[in-house]
Amino acid sequence: MKRTCWIPHPINNHGINILEENKLEISTSESFDSIVHHDKVVSAIFRTGKFTCTMMEHFPNLRVIAVHGVGTDGIDLEAATRKGIVVLNTPGLNSRSVAEHALALLFDLSKRLTVCDRAVRENKYMEIKYTGGFQEIYGRTLGIIGFGSIGQHLAKMAVALGMKVLVHTRQSTEIIAHYGCAKANDLADLLSESDYLSLNAPATAETYHLIDRQRLALMKPGACLINTSRGSLIDEAALADALITGKLAGAGLDVFEHEPLTPDSPLLTSPNLILTPHTAASSESAMRNMAMGVAQGILAVLNNQKPDSLINPAVWAVRRQ
């Protein structure tokens, strides 16, 4: 029987080529309804969205779900493990790209590049020239919540630019010091001391609306918030209010609690807010590396080799064959 890999979202051709060279057919149907009950589907590559228990029930021979990226919050891991389906991801392969995007948002917020571009196009050249509120980042404090691979890349770049970096993480003081950073005493201290705050933590029950009204109130007046991790970390209504009242000087978001944003989202009318469409990890090199990573992970599972980035290790002993 021919084996099929379902890829509902586009991935780099390097990954496709690896799968096809190993005799897997590729289905790129975006519609779940058109792929259900497909008994040839033995693997799936997901970039975004949900893969629920109900969806899994329609694939009796599905052996592996490969997440094109790091976040697995869209996958029902408990159901996958119960059904013997391996779940893997591609940690570290997009870290530099995401960290660079966070830094790009920081630069835009401090130099107001987007605002300046719009001012020139609207013939408000002199207005923005003298009232722009531009900032230097040298000597400013960057707070980082989450110190995995992305947070570490961002920290190294920020330190190289002369920023002071404070980190909120469970990792040791020694690891943080290795990157030229300091560990915040607690989250409240980090919020009150940071000129720029970057969220680089996963979406979990613990981090849901981590940045809510109370914690926004603790932030330094005029600070800026950057999120390239998961939208659920922020109470978006509370953030909109903080921007409208001027509590925050600005924010840069690449992720949202519900994507794409709905027309009535308060973020769309919030001032001093830069929005990008979840593209932090979409550099050409990151896309190539992730596509190759998920393809190689799938082949490892299909060849009964334990992948390096196994998310649900309990499944391995009872995985589908």
Side-chain angles (χ1 to χ4, degrees):
M1 181 180 76
K2 276 283 189 179
R3 301 179 300 175
T4 297
C5 181
W6 179 36
I7 311 177
H9 314 109
I11 69 168
N12 186 277
N13 281 335
H14 282 78
I16 298 289
N17 294 340
I18 290 172
L19 295 170
E20 290 182 334
E21 288 168 2
N22 284 273
K23 313 303 182 186
L24 267 76
E25 292 182 340
I26 305 300
S27 173
T28 57
S29 172
E30 294 184 19
S31 169
F32 172 69
D33 292 336
S34 67
I35 197 76
V36 294
H37 301 303
H38 197 319
D39 59 5
K40 293 182 181 179
V41 173
V42 295
S43 59
I45 297 175
F46 256 55
R47 287 183 60 181
T48 187
K50 301 288 185 181
F51 206 135
T52 65
C53 177
T54 301
M55 292 171 67
M56 294 175 198
E57 290 173 355
H58 291 282
F59 301 107
N61 295 311
L62 181 65
R63 292 177 60 186
V64 53
I65 299 170
V67 176
H68 183 280
V70 179
T72 57
D73 46 295
I75 312 298
D76 188 334
L77 294 176
E78 183 178 330
T81 303
R82 189 169 63 248
K83 294 176 181 299
I85 301 170
V86 171
V87 180
L88 58 89
N89 65 353
T90 56
L93 299 184
N94 64 9
S95 298
R96 184 178 297 277
S97 179
V98 177
E100 288 179 355
H101 194 95
L103 187 62
L105 290 172
L106 190 156
F107 267 110
D108 197 336
L109 290 165
S110 61
K111 304 305 179 185
R112 309 198 72 196
L113 302 178
T114 304
V115 174
C116 287
D117 175 84
R118 187 165 57 248
V120 172
R121 295 175 190 279
E122 295 175 356
N123 198 27
K124 297 178 180 178
Y125 187 100
M126 301 307 291
E127 294 178 32
I128 195 68
K129 182 178 178 68
Y130 295 117
T131 62
F134 312 113
Q135 301 291 334
E136 291 185 359
I137 64 171
Y138 181 86
R140 295 296 185 104
T141 298
L142 170 64
I144 297 178
I145 296 179
F147 206 59
S149 181
I150 295 169
Q152 291 168 6
H153 275 296
L154 178 59
K156 286 191 290 187
M157 291 187 286
V159 168
L161 290 167
M163 300 189 78
K164 176 184 177 182
V165 179
L166 287 176
V167 181
H168 177 70
T169 179
R170 292 193 180 97
Q171 295 198 48
S172 70
T173 302
E174 290 73 22
I175 290 175
I176 295 167
H178 173 74
Y179 289 89
C181 308
K183 187 170 185 176
N185 293 325
D186 52 34
L187 182 55
D189 279 354
L190 182 83
L191 295 173
S192 65
E193 295 180 34
S194 298
D195 298 296
Y196 300 90
L197 176 66
S198 178
L199 306 184
N200 301 101
T204 65
E206 184 179 356
T207 61
Y208 177 75
H209 284 191
L210 178 69
I211 305 301
D212 55 13
R213 291 185 188 278
Q214 289 181 326
R215 291 195 169 120
L216 284 166
L218 294 176
M219 290 183 67
K220 180 186 290 188
C224 292
L225 175 63
I226 297 164
N227 188 12
T228 55
S229 53
R230 283 293 184 266
S232 61
L233 272 64
I234 296 176
D235 179 339
E236 292 174 349
L239 172 59
D241 288 344
L243 291 168
I244 291 168
T245 62
K247 166 63 179 177
L248 295 186
L253 307 178
D254 184 56
V255 289
F256 316 102
E257 189 159 2
H258 302 289
E259 298 180 4
L261 286 175
T262 58
D264 61 346
S265 169
L267 296 177
L268 293 174
T269 54
S270 297
N272 301 319
L273 177 59
I274 304 163
L275 305 173
T276 57
H278 206 152
T279 52
S282 295
S283 67
E284 290 186 11
S285 57
M287 293 293 289
R288 180 182 64 250
N289 293 340
M290 288 187 289
M292 294 174 67
V294 291
Q296 291 161 354
I298 285 171
L299 293 175
V301 175
L302 296 182
N303 291 322
N304 292 312
Q305 298 169 357
K306 195 172 183 178
D308 294 333
S309 55
L310 180 59
I311 296 300
N312 54 342
V315 79
W316 194 249
V318 294
R319 68 190 183 280
R320 288 177 176 174
Q321 298 288 340

